[in-house]
Amino acid sequence: YAGPTAAPVGRSIAVIGAKGGCGSSTVAHNVAWSIGKTFGTEVLIADFDLAWGTAGLDFNQDPAQGVLEALNSPDRLDDTLFERLSSKCSDLLSILAAPAMLDRTYDQSEHDFDAILEVARASVPVVVVDLPHQWNGWVRRQLCEADEVLIVATPDLAGLRNAKSLVDALKADRTNDGAPHLVFNMTGLPKRPEIKPE
């Protein structure tokens, strides 16, 4: 709990896909843009999909630096460096872009992203974390630490099974937090088998 004299801390919204290709990044980016537009507040998209992230592409940005530089300099990460590493897309929307390069593997440990989110939440009122479709220690930690979790699924057997597994795991891990929100994407598409959410 923050004391009455403590600086405000922004909310974090973690977005993850129940399976690859379900459009979770598109949903995350649109949620961030909509929050900024609707509430007139600053929003940051933290693209943590280091190898395949699309925030830079979706907002027509090609920043030279981003998440990887923040990960490599946790001791130097402060408001000034954070502002330099993030890219402004509009008056209210910024991105901390993923490198989206395959020149190395990205084997992050459980607490590697903690400093980034701490500085981000102290800098902007809302941080939308675009997570990759993976299940490892650091992804699980981000889902457990977020204020809100959004699971994006498609209405097929694999999407629904994985969404149920994610919901069950997060309810067990986040016993004092609200249940994750489910978004069903790509519904009503012609010539595609679809299972009703019920």
Side-chain angles (χ1 to χ4, degrees):
Y1 296 96
T5 59
V9 176
R11 293 186 61 74
S12 61
I13 303 167
V15 183
I16 189 167
K19 70 175 198 169
C22 66
S24 62
S25 290
T26 301
V27 169
H29 304 166
N30 280 289
V31 163
W33 184 86
S34 297
I35 288 171
K37 192 76 168 165
T38 303
F39 298 105
T41 189
E42 287 185 69
V43 182
L44 171 83
I45 298 170
D47 191 347
F48 286 176
D49 190 349
L50 300 177
W52 311 106
T54 58
L57 284 174
D58 287 353
F59 291 99
N60 198 25
Q61 301 285 319
D62 190 19
Q65 298 178 314
V67 174
L68 190 59
E69 288 71 24
L71 283 171
N72 291 335
S73 308
D75 299 333
R76 294 185 328 118
L77 193 59
D78 58 11
D79 295 344
T80 306
L81 179 58
F82 183 78
E83 189 174 329
R84 195 167 45 112
L85 295 177
S86 57
S87 301
K88 276 285 212 197
C89 299
S90 70
D91 291 343
L92 298 174
L93 184 66
S94 299
I95 61 170
L96 189 61
M101 294 175 62
L102 302 180
D103 59 342
R104 68 181 80 189
T105 58
Y106 302 102
D107 302 320
Q108 306 311 128
S109 64
E110 188 173 349
H111 296 277
D112 282 356
F113 292 88
D114 291 357
I116 295 173
L117 279 176
E118 185 177 324
V119 173
R121 292 179 67 198
S123 302
V124 294
V126 181
V127 179
V128 175
V129 181
D130 184 4
L131 291 170
H133 175 66
Q134 299 176 12
W135 193 246
N136 52 39
W138 72 264
V139 169
R140 189 174 191 158
R141 178 169 174 77
Q142 296 312 312
L143 291 168
C144 290
E145 294 294 315
D147 293 309
E148 302 287 338
V149 174
L150 206 63
I151 299 170
V152 180
T154 50
D156 54 30
L157 191 57
L160 294 175
R161 180 203 62 189
N162 294 354
K164 182 183 180 331
S165 296
L166 273 169
V167 168
D168 291 345
L170 292 174
K171 280 185 177 178
D173 287 346
R174 297 168 48 96
T175 54
N176 298 317
D177 296 299
H181 304 278
L182 284 173
V183 173
F184 289 100
N185 199 15
M186 300 182 205
T187 61
L189 296 179
K191 298 185 180 180
R192 286 191 65 178
E194 184 173 320
I195 299 171
K196 298 295 178 201
E198 295 79 31

